[in-house]
Amino acid sequence: MGVLLGLDPWSIFLVSVLGSLPFYLAHWEEYFTHSLVLGMLNGPTETETLAIILFLVTGVNGLSWWKETTSLFGGITLQRYKMIVYLAIVMSIFTALQSLYSGLRKARAQGVTLFTSFSQLLPITIVWISTVLWICFSPLYMEHPVWFIATFGFVFSTLIGRCIVQRICNEPFRMFYPVLIPLLVACANTLSRIALGYVEFCWHKAYNDF
Amino acid sequence: MLNFVGTKLTMIFRAPLADEYTVLILAGVSSFIGWTHFVVSIIREMCGVLRISAFTIPYKLKK
């Protein structure tokens, strides 16, 4: 969908990481509430419908239509594809916070401590933080964005699968999974640039025109 | 002495520690292997418990 909208690799990365946030938290919330609430525009059906609409709009108007600027309320002008990105970011964060609040409230009602609840989110937090650091500091992201996003996708897919199995079978959450190791090693290798004085914040350089 | 150690460390630990492209490919491949291992293990477990009757087994197990 990112390519469909003509998004640059940084926007695709931002939307993929932020899009994973409410999805995982919705399944984590279900672990306590026993009901899967995916929130507004966060369910698979809504996403597929949205993708179909975006495909149709691009098919009718062409890819360049998304690059055109449009004026919003208050005299703000913005490119159309950026509107979609900002909307996705706001919706993702809002839905994620909603799931987090609901999950924590239910966990406390069940007598689960806050420490236990948050420790269940440790593996996925490691994935998010290490992915962001790895991609932001690696000079290779602009050349090979597919490899980066695919790696994140496989690790995230494994963790979300584990989470679903754990809540269906009422299994306890683990604090660490071996699938995190490649991501952590890659992140540490890239961060060694900072430790050894080769600081280069690639995100900032490449994202200036956004 | 400190300068000597520092020089030697800089010679040994060059940034990044390993070639970034190689690490990227290895991370991608190994994460794919991890994901495949998870998917296969779940399918095997489900097939074992439910004797390949259906994929709705975990819900049956809850009862």
Side-chain angles (χ1 to χ4, degrees):
Chain A
M1 275 178 66
V3 176
L4 167 79
L5 295 175
L7 299 185
D8 56 289
W10 292 111
S11 302
I12 293 175
F13 156 68
L14 198 66
V15 173
S16 356
V17 172
L18 282 174
S20 68
L21 192 77
F23 192 64
Y24 189 89
L25 287 173
H27 283 286
W28 171 77
E29 178 194 355
E30 193 191 359
Y31 186 77
F32 298 108
T33 60
H34 305 297
S35 62
L36 183 62
V37 182
L38 286 170
M40 196 167 48
L41 296 176
N42 193 34
T45 314
E46 291 93 327
T47 309
E48 281 166 17
T49 312
L50 187 67
I52 291 166
I53 292 169
L54 292 179
F55 270 113
L56 287 173
V57 170
T58 310
V60 171
N61 298 316
L63 193 63
S64 57
W65 186 78
W66 293 106
K67 300 277 184 186
E68 289 172 15
T69 51
T70 183
S71 55
L72 299 171
F73 52 89
I76 303 167
T77 53
L78 205 62
Q79 284 174 298
R80 289 192 178 106
Y81 80 96
K82 285 182 182 174
M83 282 170 55
I84 301 286
V85 172
Y86 292 146
L87 189 69
I89 290 170
V90 172
M91 292 296 291
S92 297
I93 293 174
F94 177 73
T95 316
L97 289 175
Q98 217 175 16
S99 295
L100 192 66
Y101 173 72
S102 174
L104 285 175
R105 201 176 56 174
K106 192 72 182 175
R108 285 191 71 182
Q110 290 176 5
V112 180
T113 61
L114 275 180
F115 177 77
T116 311
S117 311
F118 279 116
S119 66
Q120 292 173 346
L121 297 174
L122 183 68
I124 195 68
T125 310
I126 291 172
V127 171
W128 283 321
I129 292 175
S130 55
T131 305
V132 169
L133 288 175
W134 181 35
I135 289 182
C136 288
F137 286 99
S138 177
L140 288 179
Y141 179 67
M142 290 303 283
E143 293 170 43
H144 309 284
V146 175
W147 274 99
F148 283 86
I149 292 176
T151 306
F152 166 73
F154 284 129
V155 175
F156 176 75
S157 179
T158 308
L159 286 193
I160 192 78
R162 287 270 177 213
C163 180
I164 292 169
V165 172
Q166 281 156 344
R167 60 110 172 134
I168 289 174
C169 302
N170 286 324
E171 286 178 357
F173 273 78
R174 280 196 276 162
M175 300 282 272
F176 191 81
Y177 298 95
V179 76
L180 298 177
I181 293 171
L183 201 55
L184 286 173
V185 169
C187 178
N189 183 53
T190 300
L191 290 184
S192 68
R193 303 163 71 88
I194 301 173
L196 297 170
Y198 295 85
V199 184
E200 196 176 8
F201 193 40
C202 303
W203 169 289
H204 181 69
K205 276 166 58 182
Y207 219 63
N208 268 342
D209 61 334
F210 184 71
Chain B
M1 180 62 185
L2 278 176
N3 278 342
F4 174 76
V5 173
T7 312
K8 287 292 175 195
L9 279 176
T10 312
M11 283 170 67
I12 297 166
F13 298 109
R14 282 178 302 174
L17 296 175
D19 177 47
E20 292 232 24
Y21 184 70
T22 312
V23 173
L24 171 65
I25 301 294
L26 286 176
V29 171
S30 50
S31 61
F32 174 71
I33 292 169
W35 174 78
T36 311
H37 175 261
F38 165 70
V39 172
V40 170
S41 68
I42 289 295
I43 291 172
R44 283 186 64 191
E45 200 170 334
M46 285 169 68
C47 291
V49 173
L50 296 172
R51 298 182 184 180
I52 320 173
S53 58
F55 276 100
T56 52
I57 295 150
Y59 292 99
K60 287 180 183 172
L61 284 175
K62 279 182 81 177
K63 297 174 185 176

